[in-house]
Amino acid sequence: MSVALLVTTYNWPEALKLVLESVLRQSVLPDEVIIADDGSGDTTRYVIEAFKRSTNIPVKHFWHPDEGFRKTIIINQAITGTDSDYIIQIDGDIVLHEDFIKDHRSEAEQGFYIRGSRVLLPEDKTRYFLRSGEFDNVTAFGRGVKNRFNALRIPFLAPLLIKKSKRSRNLIGCNCAFWKKDFLKVNGYNNELKGWGHEDIELAARFINSGLSQKKVKMKAVCYHLHHPLNDRVYENVNYRVYLDTLKRGITYCTNGYHH
């Protein structure tokens, strides 16, 4: 199967640089990298161009002008640009363990979407990594690391911790994976969701309603979330209500999505 790594980003080039460098260090490389850029400035473009020069993997950069939070629209557009069978999605502040892609490939399974987890890095460590431009090894026992359990990569124990369920509410878009055909079947992300919040779980609800199950993976596909202030959450409740409605009414297809 062919695998695309989808990276979403918005105006944080220093973080994106660390993320893309972690892509180059992968033990198994993705077949392509697609970047969904919600209107970043030139510095982000320079980071992406430098990344393109440093790798033979095809890199596609999808961008639209900055007209507020329009993440769903640019992700849908980016996914139109890939022929890969399988999509692993991360955010532009998620630095990858070197076996991240390898682990995701090994867990891909028909009839499931994947919910991964992440290690939350403390502010001081994040600042140090961004300033030095280098990402050092983070251990589960490092000072200030939150949810340490997520920092452990123990592949032979991972099968014992896999949870398969019909859950959607816990999906995090910063570490998830799905088959492109499943994404197309539900018409992708819902562009009606404006502003930050819950576009990931609303997609997951339609995955579940269309017959998929969630596979939650621990101790594999480890990644590290760089610390930043919380986003403006003014639309969070509205979006959450859309999610609950999708779930309750068994909606499988959003009209304003990948095709609209």
Side-chain angles (χ1 to χ4, degrees):
M1 70 178 192
S2 50
V3 171
L5 177 68
L6 168 69
V7 186
T8 65
T9 192
Y10 174 69
N11 270 341
W12 198 10
E14 304 80 3
L16 184 64
K17 182 172 175 288
L18 291 178
V19 172
L20 295 176
E21 280 167 5
S22 74
V23 175
L24 296 176
R25 291 194 295 270
Q26 291 300 299
S27 57
V28 174
L29 290 168
D31 296 296
E32 61 180 338
V33 175
I34 45 180
I35 298 170
D37 180 348
D38 195 14
S40 305
D42 287 343
T43 320
T44 294
R45 197 177 77 242
Y46 303 146
V47 167
I48 294 167
E49 282 167 3
F51 174 64
K52 281 180 178 173
R53 289 192 295 274
S54 62
T55 179
N56 298 324
I57 319 167
V59 178
K60 295 173 184 156
H61 179 197
F62 291 83
W63 179 91
H64 58 190
D66 184 358
E67 292 171 12
F69 190 99
R70 297 191 298 152
K71 185 177 176 180
T72 57
I73 296 173
I74 200 66
I75 295 178
N76 283 332
Q77 198 187 330
I79 292 178
T80 62
T82 179
D83 294 322
S84 293
D85 307 313
Y86 197 68
I87 292 158
I88 301 168
Q89 183 184 325
I90 62 167
D91 284 342
D93 53 16
I94 294 285
V95 180
L96 308 179
H97 181 285
E98 61 197 23
D99 292 317
F100 184 82
I101 299 288
K102 176 186 171 187
D103 286 349
H104 262 292
R105 283 191 77 108
S106 69
E107 290 301 337
E109 189 178 338
Q110 295 292 347
F112 291 89
Y113 73 88
I114 301 284
R115 188 254 197 231
S117 43
R118 63 197 164 156
V119 178
L120 298 171
L121 296 174
E123 197 172 349
D124 56 346
K125 233 184 184 63
T126 298
R127 209 175 317 133
Y128 170 75
F129 292 148
L130 291 170
R131 215 177 17 235
S132 68
E134 293 288 322
F135 190 84
D136 288 336
N137 222 351
V138 172
T139 70
F141 311 104
R143 195 174 51 79
V145 171
K146 295 200 181 67
N147 47 13
R148 302 170 182 280
F149 188 72
N150 291 346
L152 296 171
R153 181 180 181 273
I154 311 177
F156 72 91
L157 290 181
L160 305 175
L161 295 165
I162 281 175
K163 286 198 177 77
K164 291 182 171 180
S165 70
K166 289 289 182 185
R167 284 190 74 184
S168 54
R169 197 177 147 175
N170 58 343
L171 183 68
I172 43 174
C174 64
N175 181 5
C176 65
F178 43 83
W179 297 93
K180 187 178 179 189
K181 66 175 170 51
D182 292 336
F183 184 82
L184 298 186
K185 190 174 159 191
V186 300
N187 204 25
Y189 278 99
N190 186 347
N191 296 331
E192 295 298 317
L193 297 183
K194 304 283 188 276
W196 182 91
H198 307 311
E199 72 287 335
D200 41 14
I201 63 175
E202 197 274 341
L203 172 69
R206 282 179 288 116
F207 278 158
I208 297 295
N209 292 344
S210 70
L212 298 181
S213 295
Q214 180 191 95
K215 182 177 180 182
K216 187 176 169 189
V217 174
K218 290 270 185 195
M219 293 207 171
K220 281 176 92 171
V222 172
C223 62
Y224 311 92
H225 181 257
L226 297 166
H227 182 277
H228 57 82
L230 290 177
N231 295 323
D232 175 7
R233 304 191 166 202
V234 64
Y235 291 99
E236 183 182 6
N237 292 337
V238 181
N239 291 354
Y240 192 67
R241 283 202 293 276
V242 175
Y243 160 71
L244 290 175
D245 191 54
T246 299
L247 204 58
K248 193 166 82 231
R249 291 172 46 201
I251 294 167
T252 59
Y253 193 91
C254 62
T255 46
N256 179 4
Y258 182 85
H259 297 292
H260 53 271

